[in-house]
Amino acid sequence: MIDGKFAILAIESSCDETAAAVVLDGRQVLSNIISSQIDIHKQYGGVVPEIASRHHLDNINHVVQRAFDEAGEKRAAETGVPDARVTMEDIDAIAVTYGPGLVGALLIGLATAKAYALACGKPLIGVHHIQGHICANFIEHKELEPPFMALVVSGGHTNIVEVTDYNECHVLGGTRDDAAGEAYDKVARVLGLGYPGGPLIDKIARKGNPEAVEFKRVFLEKDSMDFSFSGIKTGVLNYVNSEQQAGREISVPDIAASFQQAVLDVIVAKTVQAAVKMKKDKIVMAGGVSANSKLREMMAAECAKRGIKLYHPSPILCTDNAAMIGCAAYYKYKAGEVDDLTLDAIPSLPL
Ligand code: KG4
Ligand code: ZN
C-alpha cells in the first residue's frame, strides 16, 4: 500500500512496446514507462514478432526498474521527502497483459510478472489488452463510470463494445478482416509514407481534400455493427496504379484525406448508431487510432448533435501502455478476480 492506496505494478508487452507502470487505486498513475521498438521495426515496414520478443527480453527488467524509480521520484516531489522510494514491498499485486497479442511478446511480460509474483508473494492479475485500452479512460476522466458505449480502434482491433460494468462488457461488432490501424498502416505503405502509418496519415491528410477521391464506404448489412477495411486498401492501391499508368501525378495529401474520410465516416456512424440503439449517453474511445485528430473532431460533432458525452484518453494513453493494464487489474481485483501461476498467454483471447 502507498498512502493507504492499493498499489499495482503493471506490465504490458503484447506487441512492440515494453511497458511498466505503478498505479494506485486503479486511477492514480505514479509512473508509466514505455520503451518503444518503433525505430527498430520501421526498417521492416511493420512489427517483426521474433525481433519484438527479443527486445522485450532485453528491456523488461530495466523498464520495471525505471517504473519504480519514476514512482519514487514522483512520491518525493509530492511528499517533499527527497529520498522517497517505491519498491516491491509497497506493491500489493502484479498485473500483466495475457492476450490478445503476439505470443512470444506476451510470454516475456507474463514470465516476468509471474517471477515477481512468485518471488515476492504477491497476487497475479491477468488483463485482457482491450479491456486495458478501455480503462485508459478511467485514468484521465475521474468522473467516468460505466455504463457506456466503447469504440476500440487499434492496430490489431476494431470493436464496438457495450460496457455495462467495470468487469462486464458485450462485443456488439468487430472487423471481419483488417483492423482500422492496420488499414492506416497499409495505406501509408502504399503512399510511401512510412511506419506506423496512422499518425503520418493523420498529419498529411490535414493538407488534403477529403472529397478528392471517392473511396467506397463499406457499411455491410443493414444494422450490422461489424466493419470491413480490407477493400479500401485495395481501392487506394488500384487508384494509385491507374493514375500512374495514365501518367497523372497523384496527390498524397488528397488520397490520405479521402481514405481517412471514408474509413472514419463508417466508424463514426456505426459507433453513434450503437450508442443510440443501446440507449447510452456516453461514448468512450480507446486504442491507437483514437489518437486520430480527425476521428476526434468528427465524433465530437456527431455526439454534440445527440447530447452524447464523448471521452478519449490523451495520445500517450491511447497507444499501448501499462498504466491502462494497472487500472483494469484494480477493478478485477476488487471483484475477486485473481489468477495463479498457471496463467498462460492467449494470442487470440476473446473479449
Ligand atoms: O493501440 P496500439 O498502440 O497498438 C495495438 O494494440 O494495436 O495501436 C497502434 C495503431 C497503429 O496501427 C497506428 O498506426 C495507429 O494505432 N495510430 C493512429 C494514430 N496514432 C496511432 N492511427 C490514426 N491516427 C493516429 N493519430
Ligand atoms: Zn493496443
Side-chain angles (χ1 to χ4, degrees):
M1 299 285 260
I2 297 178
D3 286 343
K5 292 177 182 160
F6 194 83
I8 291 181
L9 168 70
I11 294 174
E12 152 67 41
S13 68
S14 65
C15 190
D16 61 342
E17 333 276 358
T18 320
V22 176
V23 181
L24 304 185
D25 275 0
R27 296 194 182 213
Q28 188 186 341
V29 178
L30 273 191
S31 64
N32 189 24
I33 305 297
I34 304 166
S35 169
S36 175
Q37 303 176 10
I38 282 181
D39 287 341
I40 298 157
H41 297 285
K42 230 178 208 167
Q43 54 189 308
Y44 307 103
V47 178
V48 182
E50 181 60 24
I51 295 177
S53 313
R54 283 173 188 275
H55 282 278
H56 284 311
L57 193 55
D58 285 344
N59 292 338
I60 191 90
N61 289 327
H62 181 58
V63 166
V64 169
Q65 188 53 51
R66 278 175 57 205
F68 279 125
D69 292 347
E70 198 168 281
E73 283 161 27
K74 189 152 185 201
R75 291 275 299 143
E78 280 170 4
T79 58
V81 179
D83 58 353
R85 296 261 179 284
V86 172
T87 68
M88 194 56 93
E89 278 176 24
D90 303 308
I91 298 296
D92 300 294
I94 316 281
V96 65
T97 307
Y98 72 108
L102 304 168
V103 66
L106 287 166
L107 281 171
I108 307 297
L110 205 59
T112 308
K114 283 187 195 176
Y116 283 125
L118 178 66
C120 308
K122 313 281 181 186
L124 178 72
I125 307 165
V127 172
H128 191 293
H129 183 76
I130 299 302
Q131 185 80 33
H133 271 302
I134 294 171
C135 287
N137 283 279
F138 295 136
I139 293 170
E140 284 182 320
H141 306 293
K142 305 293 182 207
E143 77 289 4
L144 177 64
E145 284 183 31
F148 50 74
M149 193 57 70
L151 167 71
V152 183
V153 268
S154 73
H157 304 272
T158 306
N159 286 112
I160 295 178
V161 185
E162 183 189 16
V163 178
T164 45
D165 208 338
Y166 284 104
N167 295 304
E168 200 181 287
C169 63
H170 313 279
V171 179
L172 302 182
T175 182
R176 294 187 187 168
D177 39 58
D178 291 352
E182 202 177 347
Y184 268 90
D185 294 340
K186 286 178 175 173
V187 166
R189 199 178 311 160
V190 170
L191 298 178
L193 290 175
Y195 175 86
L200 300 168
I201 290 189
D202 190 356
K203 195 166 166 213
I204 204 163
R206 299 243 140 234
K207 298 187 210 128
N209 171 11
E211 286 165 17
V213 190
E214 179 72 22
F215 291 118
K216 195 164 180 268
R217 274 79 172 148
V218 182
F219 281 95
L220 301 168
E221 307 81 32
K222 189 177 176 297
D223 293 335
S224 167
M225 293 186 203
D226 283 347
F227 298 95
S228 169
F229 296 118
S230 64
I232 194 154
K233 172 199 65 189
T234 319
V236 172
L237 189 61
N238 289 346
Y239 174 80
V240 169
N241 286 342
S242 67
E243 290 298 290
Q244 284 172 341
Q245 272 164 13
R248 286 189 288 267
E249 209 169 292
I250 60 159
S251 160
V252 172
D254 280 355
I255 300 171
S258 302
F259 153 76
Q260 175 164 266
Q261 188 69 43
V263 166
L264 298 183
D265 276 349
V266 177
I267 291 179
V268 172
K270 288 196 181 232
T271 309
V272 172
Q273 189 193 344
V276 171
K277 187 174 171 196
M278 307 308 287
K279 299 190 171 50
K280 297 286 181 291
D281 59 0
K282 289 175 257 178
I283 289 179
V284 163
M285 298 204 290
V289 183
S290 70
N292 186 272
S293 59
K294 182 82 179 179
L295 171 59
R296 290 177 171 205
E297 256 173 54
M298 288 172 61
M299 195 69 97
E302 287 305 308
C303 285
K305 273 190 223 161
R306 291 168 177 80
I308 296 172
K309 205 157 183 313
L310 177 66
Y311 297 86
H312 46 66
S314 56
I316 191 68
L317 288 176
C318 283
T319 45
D320 292 349
N321 65 85
M324 67 185 197
I325 303 301
C327 179
Y330 175 69
Y331 291 105
K332 287 192 80 173
Y333 184 83
K334 279 191 32 163
E337 293 181 32
V338 173
D339 293 285
D340 61 29
L341 296 176
T342 61
L343 181 70
D344 207 357
I346 307 181
S348 50
L349 182 66
L351 192 57

